[in-house]
């Protein structure tokens, strides 16, 4: 006779009393209870519930044999244990501790939407399960079996080892839509309940006219709960092998992430290899650490062995995700940084050291500055007695170059505003801003000694912003008309106090700059004199959410002439600024939008950004047009870009995108492919062409494959 914890039996609706310890007992409830005294057997039928600790079993019938200590549950058996997913079976036989046993017609849900089923399942005391004639998938299953899952792993034997956090397979086949496509005598993957586990990740396969057939096999090494390393060797038929490493480590106060690659190879282009074989590679690293609740420090490191390395080996030339403080918008520029930053409810500040590297072949990096240090501070608050809001700010930078001008600046400033709603709904906002700057500039002059200038200046501006929105509600449409104007006056200054422009080299006038007191980015340019800004906004909204229209038109007029400190192509160079206009209209699934800058004198369009899109049923498409043709610009730019995808079925779609340079009559980028996506699988096969000449690298064509099998892992482009 098996020694067992006592089982307390109860018929529904009847009280139960027992002297057994509740922590050791197993409780069973049912609609009907049959006792066979001579056999030592109890049979419970109808809505049977058996409870032991955090384990609960539901069944149509449960038989308990006191002589053998065995419990048999039959009919729609469901097993729950704590927060773990449910298990199902046609019949289950367990010991009276409900810890060990065998199930027939077994199925279970796993974490992260995993599913497993088997002809039979053996449960170990520690909760591990051994399945016979089993399969595993993350796909939805048809109850009537009319549709095969997108993929599943079928095996003669499967063991879910909770101690190792792994699922092991023997004689396993990968089935796609019910058709076997791959076989392995053994296979293993991490249990979906595990966050991370060492092991092989799914490989990637690309075909490129530059690198040939490319196969990469990543391996995840979970060093400990706080750090891991992905080791990903890449084999290429047209180049020597490459090793890629991605290391992450979390500390009590932050984390670091290091991505690097290296190879021993010559340089190459479309015509072949040249130069010596040598070690080449790249590194992208960043870290962010908390000093306190409001303060943190971090770093960013970006480097490549040569300008074209990243592009040769199909890496992005800037990290897509980084915890570093600064990210460069300018293409093909690497940035290295070390910083400290603090942020409170009403202030922000940071101090950093930065250096840059241009990935342009033949560019002399000695012309690039390093910033040591760069300091920013901003704080805001409210004045007492409702006198308005204020901001104070400080900014300091020190630029040094091996070749070229050196530059140092310290700026301190403050601004104030006080919005007021006057009778009749007129909105008045008086404002003022002021700033003091101190400069030290050393200008490198060819064939002459460097010239150093030290000077200070004080600049201020004040004005009044007036707007008068009119609202007209309607039965179908609501209309808002909002004229707005601002008068701004700023002090002038000695032309000798104008610094070499370092932080406002490029300005492109648009709606966002129209009413700004200071319309130049950075601190070097401070627009002085008196000017009037005016704009008109129209907003029409359909209460049925079918139609919408937004429009804006505005310009600026400088009363004391133009400002030569602005670039002639900026739109702000002349006494009368360019017109700026925005327009967007929505009509159900269609939308059209445009933003333009129009020359006041000639009426020519100096810049136009326009887009048209549609999203209806299974079709989503948009086309964008850009034209920069300002006569004062150094070069015109005209291009068109597009993207479209169309669903052929609920899970299958095609897509196509591209960009065409109309000024040069050349395509730049094209992508076309096929995508399959359902609840458990993503598959993309596409062709990509990049017709962008960089250095000695010409256009490239490649065929790429991206596969993701949910819970098992996947492969996608960096």
């Amino acid at each position: 006779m098996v020694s067992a914890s006592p089982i307390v039996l109860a018929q529904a609706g009847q009280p139960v009393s027992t002297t057994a310890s509740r922590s050791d007992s197993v409780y069973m409830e049912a609609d009907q209870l049959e006792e066979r005294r001579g056999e030592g057997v109890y049979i419970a039928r109808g809505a049977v519930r058996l409870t032991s600790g955090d384990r609960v079993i539901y069944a149509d019938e449960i038989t308990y044999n006191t002589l053998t200590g065995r419990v048999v549950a039959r009919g729609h058996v469901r097993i729950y244990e704590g927060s773990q997913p449910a298990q199902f079976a046609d019949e289950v036989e367990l010991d009276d501790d409900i810890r060990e046993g065998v199930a027939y017609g077994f199925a279970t849900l796993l974490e992260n939407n995993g599913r497993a089923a088997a002809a039979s399942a053996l449960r170990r005391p520690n909760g591990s399960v051994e399945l016979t004639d089993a399969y595993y998938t993350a796909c939805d299953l048809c109850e009537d079996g009319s549709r095969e899952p997108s993929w599943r792993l079928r095996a003669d034997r499967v063991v879910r080892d909770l101690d190792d956090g792994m699922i092991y397979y023997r004689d396993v086949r990968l089935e796609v839509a019910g058709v076997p496509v791959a076989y392995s005598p053994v296979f293993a993957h991490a249990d979906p309940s595990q966050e991370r586990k060492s092991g092989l990740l799914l490989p990637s396969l690309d075909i490129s006219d530059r690198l040939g057939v490319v196969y990469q096999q990543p391996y995840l090494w979970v060093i400990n709960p706080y750090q891991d390393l992905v080791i990903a060797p890449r084999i290429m038929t047209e180049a020597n092998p490459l090793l890629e490493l991605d290391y992450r480590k979390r500390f009590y106060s932050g984390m670091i992430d290091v991505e690097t690659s290296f190879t021993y190879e010559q340089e190459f282009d479309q015509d072949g290899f040249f130069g010596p074989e040598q070690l080449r590679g790249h590194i992208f690293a960043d870290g962010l650490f908390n000093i306190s609740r409001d303060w943190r420090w971090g770093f960013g490191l970006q480097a490549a062995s040569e300008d074209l390395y990243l592009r040769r080996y199909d890496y992005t030339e800037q990290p897509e995700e980084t915890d570093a403080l600064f990210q460069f918008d300018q293409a093909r520029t690497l940035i290295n940084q070390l910083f400290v930053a603090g942020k409170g409810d009403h202030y922000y500040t940071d101090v950093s050291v930065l250096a840059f590297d241009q990935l342009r072949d033949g560019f002399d990096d000695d012309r690039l500055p390093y910033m040591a240090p760069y300091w920013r501070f901003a704080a805001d608050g409210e004045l007492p007695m409702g006198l308005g809001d204020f901001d104070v700010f400080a900014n300091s930078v020190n630029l040094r170059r091996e070749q070229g001008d050196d530059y140092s600046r310290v700026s301190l400033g403050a601004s104030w505003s006080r919005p007021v709603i006057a009778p009749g709904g007129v909105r008045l906002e008086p404002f003022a801003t002021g700033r003091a700057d101190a400069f030290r500039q050393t200008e490198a002059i060819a064939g002459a000694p460097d010239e150093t200038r030290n000077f200070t200046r004080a600049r201020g501006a004040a004005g009044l912003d007036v707007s008068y929105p009119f609202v007209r509600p309607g039965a179908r449409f609501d209309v808002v008309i909002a004229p707005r104007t601002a008068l701004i006056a700023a002090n002038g200054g000695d032309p000798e106090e104008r610094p070499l422009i370092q932080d406002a080299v490029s300005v492109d006038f648009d709606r966002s700059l129209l009413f700004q007191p200071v319309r130049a980015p950075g601190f070097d340019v401070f627009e002085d004199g008196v000017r009037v800004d005016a704009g008109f906004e129209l907003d029409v909204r359909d209460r049925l959410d079918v139609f919408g229209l937004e429009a804006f038109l505005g310009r600026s007029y400088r009363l004391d002439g133009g400002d030569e400190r602005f670039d002639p192509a900026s739109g702000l160079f002349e006494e009368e600024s360019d017109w700026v206009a925005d327009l967007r209209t929505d009509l159900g699934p269609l939308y059209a939008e445009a933003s333009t800058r129009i020359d006041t004198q000639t009426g020519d369009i100096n810049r136009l950004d326009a887009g048209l899109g549609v999203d209806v049923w299974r079709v989503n498409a948009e086309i964008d047009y850009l034209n920069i043709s300002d006569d004062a610009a150094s070069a015109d730019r005209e291009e068109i870009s597009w993207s479209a995808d169309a669903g052929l079925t609920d899970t299958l779609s095609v897509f196509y995108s591209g960009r065409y340079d109309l000024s040069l009559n050349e395509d730049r980028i094209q992508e076309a492919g096929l995508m399959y996506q359902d609840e458990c699988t993503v598959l993309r096969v596409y062709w990509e062409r990049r017709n962008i000449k960089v250095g000695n690298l010409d256009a490239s064509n490649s065929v790429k494959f991206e596969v993701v099998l949910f819970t098992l892992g996947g492969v996608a482009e960096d």
Side-chain angles (χ1 to χ4, degrees):
M1 180 174 179
V2 178
S3 176
S5 301
I7 292 183
V8 180
L9 305 173
Q11 189 169 346
Q14 297 182 356
V16 177
S17 62
T18 176
T19 59
S21 170
R22 295 185 64 87
S23 61
D24 296 332
S25 297
V26 178
Y27 300 87
M28 185 164 60
E29 300 177 1
D31 293 338
Q32 299 178 4
L33 180 62
E34 177 185 343
E35 179 183 4
R36 298 178 182 176
R37 292 185 180 274
E39 302 176 9
V41 174
Y42 295 89
I43 303 175
R45 298 186 180 91
V48 185
R49 171 176 172 164
L50 187 149
T51 305
S52 175
D54 61 353
R55 292 177 297 280
V56 181
I57 298 178
Y58 296 92
D60 295 340
E61 177 184 291
I62 292 181
T63 300
Y64 171 50
N65 191 317
T66 60
L67 300 179
T68 62
R70 307 302 291 175
V71 177
V72 179
R74 298 183 180 88
H76 303 96
V77 182
R78 292 167 292 156
I79 304 174
Y80 300 90
E81 184 170 356
S83 60
Q84 297 182 19
Q87 299 176 349
F88 306 89
D90 296 330
E91 180 177 327
V92 175
E93 183 176 350
L94 300 167
D95 66 1
D96 51 5
D97 285 334
I98 320 299
R99 294 181 179 276
E100 187 175 5
V102 63
Y104 303 95
F106 175 81
T108 183
L109 296 174
L110 303 175
E111 289 80 356
N112 298 321
N113 207 40
R115 296 168 171 83
S120 63
L122 178 63
R123 177 187 171 91
R124 303 297 187 188
N126 67 349
S128 297
V129 178
E130 180 179 327
L131 308 179
T132 302
D133 189 14
Y135 70 80
Y136 168 82
T137 185
C139 305
D140 293 338
L141 303 175
C142 289
E143 295 184 2
D144 58 5
S146 61
R147 181 178 66 87
E148 298 286 354
S150 300
W151 64 267
R152 64 182 170 188
L153 296 174
R154 184 181 289 276
D156 293 344
R157 182 170 174 265
V158 179
V159 176
R160 185 188 189 190
D161 193 323
L162 295 183
D163 292 335
D164 290 346
M166 296 290 292
I167 297 180
Y168 299 95
Y169 299 79
R170 178 71 60 84
D171 291 328
V172 61
R173 288 88 65 194
L174 173 62
E175 295 183 354
V176 176
V179 178
V181 298
Y183 168 82
S184 176
V186 292
F187 180 74
H189 65 81
D191 191 309
S193 64
Q194 301 293 312
E195 292 186 2
R196 298 181 306 150
K197 199 70 179 176
S198 297
L200 294 173
L201 304 177
L202 289 179
S204 66
L205 178 65
D206 295 339
I207 302 174
S208 166
D209 59 2
R210 182 177 295 163
L211 301 174
V213 179
V214 180
Y215 176 83
Q216 188 165 29
Q217 177 59 69
Y219 176 84
L220 172 63
W221 177 21
V222 179
I223 303 171
N224 58 42
Y226 314 106
Q227 60 182 326
D228 58 41
L229 174 66
V230 175
I231 306 168
R234 187 197 297 185
I235 307 299
M236 299 162 284
T237 59
E238 299 298 326
N240 286 343
L242 174 147
L243 181 61
E244 181 181 321
L245 303 173
D246 192 346
Y247 173 76
R248 300 182 303 171
K249 183 173 182 179
R250 181 172 293 279
F251 302 85
Y252 75 95
S253 62
M255 70 174 298
I256 61 172
D257 191 339
V258 181
E259 173 196 316
T260 184
S261 69
F262 52 89
T263 184
Y264 195 79
E265 181 60 281
Q266 297 175 275
E267 294 187 79
F268 61 88
D269 56 22
Q270 65 280 353
D271 296 325
F273 291 83
F274 57 91
E277 281 193 348
Q278 62 186 44
L279 187 65
R280 307 175 189 277
H282 89 284
I283 182 171
F284 289 160
D286 62 79
L288 186 63
F289 301 90
N290 295 321
I291 302 173
S292 65
R293 184 177 67 88
D294 296 332
W295 286 83
R296 59 183 180 169
W297 75 274
F299 70 90
L301 173 63
Q302 301 174 18
S305 57
E306 64 260 358
D307 293 336
L308 297 179
Y309 174 85
L310 294 167
R311 191 169 290 266
R312 278 196 179 99
Y313 290 96
D314 287 340
Y315 287 107
T316 58
E317 293 183 322
Q318 289 180 337
E320 295 181 353
E321 297 182 4
T322 178
D323 287 324
L325 186 62
F326 296 93
Q327 300 184 47
F328 225 113
D329 294 333
Q330 184 177 355
R332 314 204 64 223
T333 301
L334 303 183
I335 180 171
N336 298 285
Q337 56 192 294
L338 179 67
F339 61 87
V340 177
K343 182 179 181 181
D345 293 337
H346 295 284
Y347 78 91
Y348 174 84
T349 186
D350 61 59
V351 181
S352 53
V353 176
L354 303 102
F356 308 96
D357 181 17
Q358 274 273 348
L359 297 179
R360 286 193 289 167
D361 196 21
F363 183 85
D364 187 357
D365 288 334
D366 287 343
R367 295 162 52 193
L368 293 173
Y370 59 89
M371 304 169 68
Y374 177 41
W375 174 50
R376 301 182 296 182
F377 173 82
D380 62 70
E382 296 181 4
L383 294 173
M385 302 176 61
L387 295 178
D389 302 324
F390 72 90
D391 300 282
V392 295
F393 56 89
N395 189 285
S396 175
V397 65
N398 182 43
L399 301 181
R400 290 294 179 265
R401 294 178 173 89
E402 295 296 329
Q403 296 182 17
D405 304 330
D406 293 337
Y407 168 99
S408 299
R409 174 187 46 78
V410 177
S411 299
L412 302 173
S415 61
W416 165 86
S417 65
R418 173 65 167 88
V420 176
I421 304 300
V426 178
R427 183 182 184 277
L428 306 174
E429 183 175 359
F431 59 87
T433 184
R435 194 174 80 221
D437 304 314
F439 293 91
R440 177 182 176 85
Q441 297 185 162
T442 300
E443 186 175 0
I445 303 174
D450 294 347
E451 179 180 334
T452 299
R453 288 197 304 149
N454 297 286
F455 62 93
T456 61
R457 70 179 185 183
R459 293 288 184 269
L464 179 65
D465 191 329
V466 182
S467 59
Y468 194 8
F470 297 89
V471 181
R472 181 185 180 279
R476 175 70 186 276
F477 298 99
D478 293 335
V479 180
V480 177
I481 299 174
R484 180 182 177 185
T485 187
L487 176 65
I488 302 172
N491 72 320
D494 189 343
E496 296 298 323
E497 296 178 353
R498 294 180 180 178
L500 298 173
I501 297 177
Q502 301 284 338
D503 58 12
V505 175
S506 176
V507 180
D508 193 356
F509 182 46
D510 60 13
R511 176 181 176 181
S512 66
L513 290 178
L514 177 58
F515 294 100
Q516 293 293 326
V518 181
R519 296 189 292 195
F523 289 81
D524 290 344
V525 174
F526 193 100
E527 185 179 4
D528 54 22
V530 180
R531 75 175 200 261
V532 177
D533 304 327
F536 179 87
E537 183 175 355
L538 172 67
D539 193 338
V540 180
R541 288 292 156 192
D542 182 359
R543 294 193 171 186
L544 299 179
D545 200 25
V546 175
F547 175 79
L549 174 67
E550 297 177 44
F552 176 84
L553 179 66
R555 55 163 292 187
S556 177
Y557 180 76
R558 193 178 290 111
L559 301 182
D560 48 1
D563 194 332
E564 73 280 0
R565 286 169 296 180
F566 287 108
D567 185 89
S570 66
L572 291 170
F573 182 75
E574 302 291 345
E575 182 179 60
E576 298 177 355
S577 76
D578 287 355
W579 288 96
V580 290
D582 291 346
L583 174 68
R584 180 181 173 99
T585 179
D586 295 280
L587 183 59
L590 299 172
Y591 79 87
E593 60 184 6
S595 177
T596 186
R597 181 161 55 83
I598 304 171
D599 192 292
T600 302
Q601 305 296 327
T602 65
D604 295 338
I605 294 178
N606 289 333
R607 181 183 179 114
L608 173 63
D609 295 90
L612 178 67
V614 60
D615 186 359
V616 57
W617 194 47
R618 291 175 175 169
V619 177
N620 184 295
E622 61 181 38
I623 184 170
D624 297 292
Y625 173 78
L626 171 64
N627 187 347
I628 302 175
S629 55
D630 195 322
D631 291 338
S634 58
D636 292 345
R637 180 182 173 191
E638 185 179 13
E639 66 181 32
I640 186 171
S641 58
W642 62 90
S643 65
D645 60 82
L648 305 179
T649 67
D650 291 339
T651 56
L652 189 64
S653 62
V654 293
F655 59 90
Y656 177 53
S657 63
R659 187 171 78 243
Y660 191 88
D661 191 323
L662 294 169
S663 57
L664 298 177
N665 292 323
E666 290 183 351
D667 69 281
R668 285 288 178 246
I669 298 175
Q670 291 190 72
E671 275 188 8
L674 184 71
M675 182 172 74
Y676 174 88
Q677 181 173 1
D678 60 19
E679 76 283 350
C680 62
T681 312
V682 175
L683 169 64
R684 294 178 81 229
V685 181
Y686 63 99
W687 163 79
E688 179 184 77
R689 172 176 172 81
R690 293 185 174 272
N691 185 25
I692 302 175
K693 181 175 177 58
V694 178
N696 55 14
L697 294 179
D698 283 340
S700 65
N701 295 273
S702 58
V703 177
K704 299 181 180 294
F705 303 86
E706 297 179 3
V707 181
V708 177
L709 305 181
F710 293 173
T711 74
L712 290 187
V715 171
E717 275 298 288
D718 291 336

